[in-house]
Amino acid sequence: MELEVIQNKIHEIRGFKVMLDFDLALLYNLETRVLKQAIRRNINRFPEDFMFILNDVELNQLVSQSVIPSKSYFGGAFPFAFTEQGIAMLSSVLNSEKAIEINISIMRTFVTIRQFALNYTELQKRINEIEGQFPEIYNVLNYLVEKENNEVIIERNKIGYKK
């Protein structure tokens, strides 16, 4: 399973990086209702920090971001959102070779996202250190960027012979 495919299915909701039940069902090659039934039978394995049900506001936000076509896509049911720990727990609930294979790919994707976030934080820290060492250069660069963003493009008359 390609990491990019999985990465595109990870959303940030309530401050958690989550995957939605219909995306997971697609990856596991299951119907969403079958996935939800398995979870409801094992609901004690999914505390609030492993899985939660989206509310109306969150669902509307997903529709506005074009993650889903419309609210009617769910037929009145609200999707489940799974955190990384909830997805790991799914492998014990679904207990199939396909589920284990998909879960390994998903876990690798979450690790990649965390590594990227750490690299970004480290890069930001180094930029701040450099800015502190050369404040005059930093101020000049900011001025030039701001000036470029605020310039009005002036149309010029064409010079030359008219035909």
Side-chain angles (χ1 to χ4, degrees), residues 13-14 52-64 68 70-72 74 76-79:
I13 303 173
R14 297 185 194 175
F52 54 88
I53 300 172
L54 298 185
N55 61 37
D56 204 35
V57 172
E58 293 161 340
L59 191 57
N60 287 333
Q61 192 174 17
L62 288 177
V63 170
S64 71
I68 53 174
S70 70
K71 285 172 60 172
S72 62
F74 298 107
F78 288 90

Side-chain angles (χ1 to χ4, degrees), residues 23 44-45 60 77 79 89 95 99 107 125 131 141 148 150 162:
D23 286 330
N44 58 335
R45 294 181 184 216
N60 287 333
M89 187 61 73
N95 201 16
M107 293 302 114
K125 180 181 172 191
E131 288 172 357
L141 289 174
E148 184 177 307
N150 292 333
K162 294 182 180 179

Side-chain angles (χ1 to χ4, degrees), residues 15-73:
F16 294 105
K17 296 222 180 291
V18 298
M19 291 185 73
L20 303 173
D21 58 5
F22 56 91
D23 286 330
L24 288 166
L26 184 69
L27 292 173
Y28 294 132
N29 202 18
L30 295 170
E31 290 182 40
T32 305
R33 68 176 182 80
V34 172
L35 178 70
K36 284 185 165 186
Q37 284 173 349
I39 287 143
R40 285 191 177 107
R41 276 188 243 120
N42 296 281
I43 198 68
N44 58 335
R45 294 181 184 216
F46 296 95
E48 186 78 14
D49 57 330
F50 281 31
M51 180 209 71
F52 54 88
I53 300 172
L54 298 185
N55 61 37
D56 204 35
V57 172
E58 293 161 340
L59 191 57
N60 287 333
Q61 192 174 17
L62 288 177
V63 170
S64 71
Q65 294 173 355
S66 298
V67 174
I68 53 174
S70 70
K71 285 172 60 172
S72 62
Y73 179 78

Side-chain angles (χ1 to χ4, degrees), residues 23-162:
D23 286 330
L24 288 166
L26 184 69
L27 292 173
Y28 294 132
N29 202 18
L30 295 170
E31 290 182 40
T32 305
R33 68 176 182 80
V34 172
L35 178 70
K36 284 185 165 186
Q37 284 173 349
I39 287 143
R40 285 191 177 107
R41 276 188 243 120
N42 296 281
I43 198 68
N44 58 335
R45 294 181 184 216
F46 296 95
E48 186 78 14
D49 57 330
F50 281 31
M51 180 209 71
F52 54 88
I53 300 172
L54 298 185
N55 61 37
D56 204 35
V57 172
E58 293 161 340
L59 191 57
N60 287 333
Q61 192 174 17
L62 288 177
V63 170
S64 71
Q65 294 173 355
S66 298
V67 174
I68 53 174
S70 70
K71 285 172 60 172
S72 62
Y73 179 78
F74 298 107
F78 288 90
F80 293 168
F82 295 88
T83 64
E84 184 177 354
Q85 294 82 8
I87 294 166
M89 187 61 73
L90 272 176
S91 63
S92 68
V93 170
L94 298 176
N95 201 16
S96 72
E97 288 301 314
K98 177 84 172 171
I100 292 167
E101 179 185 319
I102 296 297
N103 273 17
I104 289 169
S105 296
I106 292 170
M107 293 302 114
R108 286 183 176 148
T109 303
F110 274 101
V111 167
T112 302
I113 290 171
R114 267 196 307 279
Q115 287 172 341
F116 176 75
L118 289 175
N119 290 341
Y120 175 80
T121 304
E122 185 178 323
L123 182 61
Q124 185 66 40
K125 180 181 172 191
R126 288 187 181 180
I127 289 171
N128 290 339
E129 288 173 5
I130 292 170
E131 288 172 357
Q133 292 173 359
F134 305 103
E136 295 86 15
I137 294 172
Y138 174 71
N139 290 336
V140 169
L141 289 174
N142 274 343
Y143 171 77
L144 291 173
V145 168
E146 192 174 307
K147 182 179 175 187
E148 184 177 307
N149 289 339
N150 292 333
E151 279 186 1
V152 176
I153 299 173
I154 300 172
E155 294 275 337
R156 294 185 185 181
N157 292 331
K158 292 183 180 178
I159 301 174
Y161 295 106
K162 294 182 180 179

